[in-house]
Amino acid sequence: MLILAVDTATPAVTAGLVELEPADDGSTAPRITTIISKVTVDARAHNEVLTPQILACLSESGRTRGEIAAVVTGIGPGPFTGLRVGMATAAAFGDALGIPVHGVCSLDAIAADTESYLRDQAEPIELLVVTDARRREVYWARYRAEGRIEGPEVCKPVDLDPSGATVIAGSASHVDYFDLPVLPVETPSPAGLVRVASRDLLSGATPEPLVPLYLRRPDAVERNYAQVGR
């Protein structure tokens, strides 16, 4: 089945087409193949580039909208303005095509791209994923081979205790706050997004309503509260 995957929870505006197939005999992991992916790193360009990227993916891959079986979108955590662009665009495509739209935690998608590393280590591995929350804060969550064990949450890097974590992935400008080996996964990929939703996609489960993980009020609301308090 052909899946359209999008994410705008980070400065990377991501869109891609992914082929998802059931696991082969003897395997528990579904087959996930990235057909095409487009990424633009620009925190101010989500609204301008996401839909053109989706259309470019279709055009360059020779696939049509009618072939898309479902949409997967990152639901954050992420800043208000960028995050809602991806979710609204995903919802609009799903509505126009009459196909389901599945939301997944964007941090889970980053962790999913480290899945083979976590699984193949002889010793238990705990992964810390961090992304830019602005205001000198980070969004974070912790993972082991079985999945997410804590988070997502938001805090200042100094307030995030990395003890227990053995490796880190996520925003290149924030992983260096922590004295941990860095895995080379910075943002959600189309394949990672689909991997998180694969069980529901293959089973035909009805997706949950799309609910953004903002974790705090938008910047504009915070500024208004600050002004009222003066």
Side-chain angles (χ1 to χ4, degrees):
M1 62 192 317
L2 185 66
I3 311 298
L4 169 64
V6 300
D7 187 272
T8 56
T10 74
V13 187
T14 300
L17 295 173
V18 177
E19 194 72 46
L20 173 65
E21 300 174 273
D24 293 321
D25 292 341
S27 172
T28 59
R31 289 178 289 166
I32 297 173
T33 305
T34 301
I35 304 301
I36 189 170
S37 176
K38 298 284 185 182
V39 180
T40 301
V41 181
D42 187 339
R44 299 180 181 275
H46 296 88
N47 198 46
E48 291 77 12
V49 305
L50 180 58
T51 297
Q53 283 185 176
I54 294 171
L55 298 179
C57 284
L58 289 165
S59 175
E60 293 177 24
S61 66
R63 310 300 286 264
T64 67
R65 298 185 192 190
E67 294 179 76
I68 301 173
V71 182
V72 177
T73 180
I75 60 171
F80 179 81
T81 302
L83 182 56
R84 66 178 179 178
V85 169
M87 294 181 65
T89 302
F93 267 82
D95 184 61
L97 299 174
I99 56 177
V101 181
H102 294 259
V104 301
C105 174
S106 301
L107 301 181
D108 290 358
I110 294 175
D113 280 335
T114 73
E115 199 171 82
S116 61
Y117 177 87
L118 298 184
R119 187 178 59 246
D120 294 343
Q121 299 305 302
E123 298 295 326
I125 297 293
E126 183 173 304
L127 168 70
L128 177 63
V129 175
V130 295
T131 58
D132 184 10
R134 301 181 184 173
R135 303 186 204 165
R136 299 181 181 178
E137 294 181 329
V138 293
Y139 299 116
W140 63 271
R142 296 175 186 267
Y143 301 84
R144 291 181 185 151
E146 63 270 22
R148 179 165 19 113
I149 60 171
E150 188 178 6
E153 299 288 349
V154 60
C155 69
K156 295 184 182 302
V158 69
D159 295 326
L160 175 53
D161 181 3
S163 61
T166 51
V167 291
I168 191 169
S171 168
S173 58
H174 295 81
V175 293
D176 289 341
Y177 285 116
F178 306 93
D179 186 20
L180 292 168
V182 178
L183 300 184
V185 183
E186 297 182 14
T187 60
S189 71
L193 292 160
V194 171
R195 185 170 286 109
V196 176
S198 60
R199 181 177 298 179
D200 287 344
L201 289 164
L202 290 170
S203 69
T206 300
E208 297 290 330
L210 294 180
V211 179
L213 293 170
Y214 291 131
L215 301 189
R216 67 183 184 205
R217 293 175 300 210
D219 289 346
V221 174
E222 292 287 358
R223 286 194 293 271
N224 288 340
Y225 272 93
Q227 291 170 358
V228 169
R230 290 175 181 169

